Amino acid sequence: MDLASVTSTASNVTGWFSVLPIDWAIIGVLIVAIIILSLKPGSMHAMTSLFALPVAFLLNILLPKAFLIGPIAHSLAHPLAQAGVFVALFVVAFAFVGRISASFSTLGGVLEALLSALSVTIMVLVLWQLVPELNAAWQFGTVITATFGEAYRLWWVVFSMRLLAFARS
């Protein structure tokens, strides 16, 4: 094998990755991170995330009219600061949902981790488009927006919950 063929093969692989939209790389990293987090404790973290995301979404809707902290949260103008507020709400919701569901923890395997990761990633992609602060921080491409858009949102959420229910059974 000569150097020219190795260089040609490397440029073909590099060229393929440069055509791949960044959206798919972000989704892939999210899935791998959730798989890693789900390997040891099972799908407990995935289940907690799955239910904490809609709670954080609801809290985010209620936040601007909240007593004392509403005006402070409303004064944040930068989209990344608003996305940070949503992440903070998610952390709070994650802690509460985790405490509520702590008795349902099981040790899982690789398949459970994979199904849990897919379930949470689907929920993240659906809710990302609903939260204006997150959408302002990163706008997914047309394929992701159409796939997880308004027409299919309900079915993706139902599928996500069903997938996690299957993983935990």
Side-chain angles (χ1 to χ4, degrees):
M1 185 175 229
D2 62 357
L3 183 59
S5 65
V6 171
T7 306
S8 173
T9 304
S11 67
N12 288 342
V13 171
T14 307
W16 185 81
F17 280 114
S18 66
V19 176
L20 187 68
I22 191 74
D23 295 349
W24 293 106
I26 291 170
I27 293 168
V29 167
L30 182 62
I31 288 174
V32 169
I34 296 169
I35 287 172
I36 291 170
L37 289 174
S38 296
L39 278 174
K40 185 174 180 186
S43 60
M44 180 64 186
H45 290 300
M47 183 193 71
T48 304
S49 297
L50 185 75
F51 293 114
L53 281 166
V55 170
F57 177 67
L58 178 63
L59 291 174
N60 193 48
I61 290 172
L62 300 174
L63 184 65
K65 294 182 177 42
F67 179 67
L68 292 178
I69 61 172
I72 297 169
H74 188 66
S75 69
L76 299 173
H78 197 274
L80 288 178
Q82 294 174 348
V85 169
F86 181 81
V87 169
L89 291 172
F90 171 73
V91 169
V92 169
F94 185 89
F96 287 142
V97 171
R99 296 301 259 164
I100 291 167
S101 62
S103 63
F104 300 113
S105 181
T106 61
L107 294 177
V110 175
L111 181 61
E112 184 179 353
L114 177 64
L115 294 176
S116 300
L118 288 174
S119 174
V120 173
T121 302
I122 289 168
M123 186 66 79
V124 166
L125 291 173
V126 168
L127 287 177
W128 193 282
Q129 296 177 29
L130 292 172
V131 178
E133 294 83 5
L134 294 177
N135 216 1
W138 177 263
Q139 178 74 38
F140 281 104
T142 56
V143 174
I144 301 297
T145 303
T147 303
F148 296 96
E150 190 172 344
Y152 304 108
R153 244 178 236 147
L154 171 71
W155 302 113
W156 279 115
V157 169
V158 169
F159 176 70
S160 175
M161 289 188 199
R162 178 63 189 120
L163 194 60
L164 186 61
F166 176 75
R168 297 216 17 112
S169 63

